[in-house]
Amino acid sequence: MHVTSEQRLDDGVLEREFTFGEIPGILWTPASAPASAPAPLILLGHPPLGLRKMYPRLVARARHSAAEGFAAATIELPGSGDRPRWPAAEQARADLRRAREAGEPVSDEIVDALILPLVDKAVPEWRAVLDALLSLPELGGPVGYSGGVISIGIRLAVVEPRIVAAGFFAGSFVPRAMFEEARQVTVPLHVLLQWDDEGNDRQAALDLFDAFGSKEKTLHANMGGHTGVPQFEGDAAAQFFTRHLK
């Protein structure tokens, strides 16, 4: 892992941009992170829109986490941002746009093409970057995962034993194959659902929540569209991670 830039934000949080091979990422650590007590780590997921576009939301989430004593990290998803173009993913996105513009239902074939290859590529990258992050003396376990493409979070929660809790946002397409993986998820879950999310199948989101195998799983459903998550939900998520990472 190679640090490419470093700065202190105005609240004292240390922000480091890094590369891991061809993968860009950002690490935020709390202002008062003693070496004798390495900080728990939250992996910040995000949609495949590029780190530069998502940075304002990601840094706000990271600073909120740092205020609770957590480090946070994120990486660029395959085919996004400055990473090499991924023709298959671009074709799937184009097919999705055409279906939406035509007012047609989004087929299982489009969802599978859009999500499953992304999960297959992104999850091994996340795990490799996690290895590098946890080798830093200021970081320790346990590890949480928060937000982003829910299918990536599901796969990580199943295959990565260092992740002990996850916060999901039920606001992205989920292939039917992921429902079987959801049944294998056993870590505590905090799931957000926007009731009037125009781009999300509410019933599918409820069915997915029902499928999760976790003994502790909480659904936070709020009125409003995709971007209307109430601010107080950030506090609820922080309390969730404090319970399970400290």
Side-chain angles (χ1 to χ4, degrees):
M1 191 174 84
H2 175 63
V3 174
T4 57
S5 71
E6 181 175 309
Q7 66 170 332
R8 284 276 178 191
L9 305 182
D10 55 17
D11 55 0
V13 172
L14 178 61
E15 177 184 275
R16 283 171 281 183
E17 296 188 11
F18 65 85
T19 56
F20 182 83
E22 68 169 23
I23 307 167
I26 310 174
L27 170 65
W28 296 271
T29 47
S32 56
S36 59
L41 175 64
I42 299 177
L43 306 179
L44 301 181
H46 56 89
L49 300 175
L51 279 182
R52 291 180 182 177
K53 184 172 183 178
M54 294 302 302
Y55 176 80
R57 295 184 190 179
L58 287 164
V59 72
R61 291 165 61 194
R63 293 170 89 157
H64 198 252
S65 297
E68 302 296 327
F70 302 122
T74 192
I75 59 173
E76 188 74 86
L77 290 172
S80 297
D82 296 328
R83 295 191 64 180
R85 297 297 89 197
W86 187 6
E90 292 180 350
Q91 181 61 54
R93 292 170 192 162
D95 291 343
L96 174 63
R97 284 194 300 270
R98 276 196 293 270
R100 283 179 157 174
E101 289 168 0
E104 300 172 352
V106 179
S107 69
D108 289 347
E109 290 76 15
I110 292 176
V111 173
D112 287 355
L114 185 70
I115 302 297
L116 292 177
L118 178 62
V119 172
D120 288 343
K121 283 179 175 284
V123 168
E125 292 184 351
W126 261 123
R127 298 187 74 188
V129 170
L130 181 58
D131 288 341
L133 291 170
L134 291 182
S135 70
L136 299 175
E138 64 268 37
L139 301 182
V143 179
Y145 177 86
S146 175
V149 178
I150 194 169
S151 293
I152 292 176
I154 291 170
R155 175 73 59 79
L156 274 170
V158 171
V159 303
E160 179 48 73
R162 292 170 292 188
I163 292 176
V164 301
F168 292 153
F169 180 40
S172 55
F173 294 106
V174 181
R176 294 184 184 277
M178 295 305 302
F179 280 70
E180 187 55 42
E181 291 194 41
R183 294 183 177 90
Q184 302 173 48
V185 174
T186 59
V187 300
L189 297 179
H190 177 100
V191 183
L192 287 175
L193 171 63
Q194 286 301 102
W195 204 249
D196 307 302
D197 189 342
E198 62 284 351
N200 188 37
D201 184 331
R202 182 196 302 164
Q203 189 57 54
L206 294 172
D207 291 344
L208 180 65
F209 181 79
D210 190 49
F212 286 125
S214 303
K215 291 182 179 179
E216 180 189 331
K217 54 181 180 179
T218 306
L219 179 67
H220 289 235
N222 293 281
M223 306 304 292
H226 188 79
T227 59
V229 179
Q231 286 192 339
F232 61 74
E233 285 294 359
D235 295 330
Q239 292 169 6
F240 167 79
F241 282 116
T242 295
R243 287 200 309 276
H244 294 290
L245 300 187
K246 286 190 172 180

